[in-house]
Amino acid sequence: MKTYLITGGAGFIGSNFVYYMLGRHDDILLVNLDKLTYAGNLENLRGVEGDPRHVFVQGDICDRELVSGLFAQYNFDYVINFAAESHVDRSIANPEIFVQTNVMGTVNLLQRAKEAWYDAEKKTWKDGKKFLQVSTDEVYGALGAEGFFTETTPLSPHSPYSASKAGADQFVMAFYDTYGMPVNITRCSNNYGPYQFPEKLIPLMINNARHHKPLPVYGDGLQIRDWLYVEDHCKAIDMVAAGGRSGEVYNVGGHNERTNIAIVQTILAQLHDRLSDEGISEALIRHVEDRLGHDRRYGIDPQKIRSDLGWFPETPFEQGILKTIDWYLANERWMNGVTSGSYQRYYEEMYRNR
Ligand code: NAD
Ligand code: DAU
């Protein structure tokens, strides 16, 4: 049986990964360590309640004693580090917590893994262990109209969020270079799908449009993101954990570049048709003040993970966006739960002066 420490598994991608893994592997144990910040939500894990292959632990990846204790208790084979502060706009408003969680938290996990997995006397690593860092294409910075991010593109992060993720990546590679720790890094493009917190573009626009609220499009809306259905990202992480060569970085993306305005228009058209609601139209779009330092274009070259591991995306965007819209329509209670209370304050502060 393989035992995984999944961090941040009550968030968007982490909770999808828990479902993905439990749906495909019988003989595993997932220990899910999550602090339950505003972005973490036990509602996301309702579907695995009572499954003995999943254990939830509320706690901080920066907590040395807690993480050491978990290694001693469970003898992990894998660490999959999803836990992070993940929203660019919040990092612009408050960078410190991004350094604390994304850099210091990752270093704490690396150190505790090294203590548990490295035999200092024999100078060897225990067999079958791996630390997988879930990183992002944003560490590469922004692209012009041409070209794609490859694994050898130099790191050039622009936002406090991407700078903190790049810092974490550098520590992961430092543990590989210095101590020979078995590691992989995945760098994925923008994900969409169920359980995404509605501070991010797609669920925010679905929720606002549904309630006939203005849709805040930053600047001209012609920035480009490379969208991947979350399950395809989960598949990539599973494959890299199982088969990735130690010390390697794998970019993950499906060549699905869209402008933000096109995404918003697609959501509006689909919601309009699905709900037969004439109030859902492009008249709701508002071009508002742009994000500071806004990266213009991201685009991933996924050739390496394709050729080395046989990964490919299974969900075309046209299908994935419909599944996603339908999920949010069917899960109104979930959306109401996460948009009550502090979300209202967040929204007011983030969008008031735009
Ligand atoms: P998210 O914000 O939805 O979830 C983050 C989770 O981490 C939450 O459950 C939160 O409670 C938890 N967390 C935060 N601080 C913690 C701490 N100190 N200790 C323990 N848990 C903590 O994020 P997401 O979108 O699911 O992203 C997951 C990971 O994937 C992140 O590392 C992010 O950088 C990366 N990533 C995200 C995307 C995307 O499009 N969302 C794309 C590429 C990479
Ligand atoms: O590329 C991977 C990254 O994708 C991940 O590492 C991040 O964790 C994740 O948050 C995401 O970052 P983005 O900044 O690209 O995602 P976001 O959904 O915040 O914004 C997507 C685009 O939409 C971006 O160009 C900004 C724009 N936008 C966003 C919001 C929330 C708007 O125009 N209006 C909005 O209200």
Side-chain angles (χ1 to χ4, degrees):
M1 186 178 75
K2 294 290 183 192
T3 306
Y4 294 72
L5 174 61
I6 309 290
T7 70
F12 164 47
I13 305 173
S15 60
N16 276 282
F17 186 71
V18 167
Y19 288 111
Y20 182 90
M21 293 297 280
L22 295 181
R24 280 160 188 81
H25 305 281
D26 290 331
D27 209 14
I28 55 174
L29 178 68
L30 307 181
V31 177
N32 184 348
L33 172 63
D34 196 297
K35 189 177 173 183
L36 297 181
T37 67
Y38 77 92
N41 184 355
L42 285 180
E43 282 295 317
N44 298 359
L45 297 165
R46 277 271 174 265
V48 295
E49 262 178 13
D51 190 321
R53 296 169 300 161
H54 176 257
V55 176
F56 182 78
V57 179
Q58 182 172 5
D60 193 329
I61 58 167
C62 302
D63 184 332
R64 182 183 175 132
E65 279 69 41
L66 173 67
V67 176
S68 284
L70 291 175
F71 270 97
Q73 189 177 351
Y74 291 104
N75 187 23
F76 298 119
D77 298 298
Y78 297 102
V79 175
I80 316 277
N81 184 26
F82 292 95
E85 289 293 332
S86 69
H87 191 37
V88 173
D89 291 325
R90 289 187 194 250
S91 83
I92 293 167
N94 180 21
E96 284 97 335
I97 184 68
F98 284 73
V99 180
Q100 179 63 22
T101 297
N102 299 1
V103 183
M104 299 302 285
T106 300
V107 174
N108 185 47
L109 292 172
L110 288 164
Q111 274 287 81
R112 307 296 70 88
K114 177 169 168 275
E115 284 166 5
W117 293 346
Y118 187 62
D119 185 330
E121 273 177 22
K122 293 190 196 143
K123 293 197 167 61
T124 54
W125 289 86
K126 291 182 183 166
D127 280 343
K129 308 294 185 186
K130 185 179 279 183
F131 189 104
L132 193 155
Q133 175 71 0
V134 181
S135 188
T136 167
D137 59 358
E138 296 199 14
V139 298
Y140 297 122
L143 292 165
E146 302 289 319
F148 300 100
F149 296 133
T150 72
E151 288 79 1
T152 56
T153 302
L155 302 192
S156 178
H158 297 146
S159 72
Y161 162 70
S162 54
S164 69
K165 292 294 289 186
D169 285 12
Q170 301 281 38
F171 272 102
V172 173
M173 289 317 295
F175 271 63
Y176 174 75
D177 291 337
T178 308
Y179 311 114
M181 185 169 187
V183 303
N184 282 127
I185 297 175
T186 55
R187 295 189 179 135
C188 190
S189 58
N190 285 61
N191 285 212
Y192 68 101
Y195 301 113
Q196 188 167 30
F197 193 77
E199 63 189 352
K200 307 285 165 60
L201 181 75
I202 288 181
L204 185 148
M205 295 298 170
I206 294 173
N207 187 45
N208 281 18
R210 217 187 153 180
H211 296 102
H212 300 173
K213 284 175 61 180
L215 309 183
V217 171
Y218 298 166
D220 61 10
L222 296 178
Q223 305 83 4
I224 291 171
R225 297 293 181 266
D226 184 358
W227 294 94
L228 186 73
Y229 193 62
V230 63
E231 223 172 76
D232 283 319
H233 186 190
C234 295
K235 177 171 100 165
I237 292 169
D238 187 18
M239 291 175 92
V240 171
R245 271 179 297 138
S246 185
E248 295 293 320
V249 174
Y250 294 91
N251 284 353
V252 186
H255 280 307
N256 180 49
E257 295 184 37
R258 317 243 161 185
T259 61
N260 294 336
I261 194 74
I263 293 283
V264 172
Q265 285 163 340
T266 301
I267 291 170
L268 284 168
Q270 293 299 338
L271 274 178
H272 171 274
D273 291 354
R274 274 183 151 50
L275 298 174
S276 304
D277 183 341
E278 293 305 320
I280 300 178
S281 78
E282 292 189 18
L284 294 172
I285 293 174
R286 302 281 184 284
H287 287 271
V288 299
E289 192 181 317
D290 210 347
R291 175 183 277 177
L292 294 177
H294 201 170
D295 287 337
R296 196 69 180 166
R297 174 176 166 244
Y298 303 143
I300 282 280
D301 176 355
Q303 187 49 39
K304 179 174 172 180
I305 190 169
R306 258 181 200 277
S307 54
D308 285 15
L309 301 177
W311 177 87
F312 60 93
E314 292 182 27
T315 308
F317 184 75
E318 291 67 25
Q319 199 180 310
I321 193 71
L322 290 187
K323 274 166 80 166
T324 302
I325 289 172
D326 286 343
W327 188 87
Y328 287 100
L329 291 180
N331 288 276
E332 199 176 359
R333 209 174 62 88
W334 180 92
M335 184 61 92
N336 291 341
V338 299
T339 53
S340 62
S342 61
Y343 180 82
Q344 298 300 329
R345 274 196 306 283
Y346 162 80
Y347 196 90
E348 170 63 17
E349 275 168 31
M350 187 61 75
Y351 291 92
R352 177 179 48 205
N353 295 322
R354 278 208 136 99

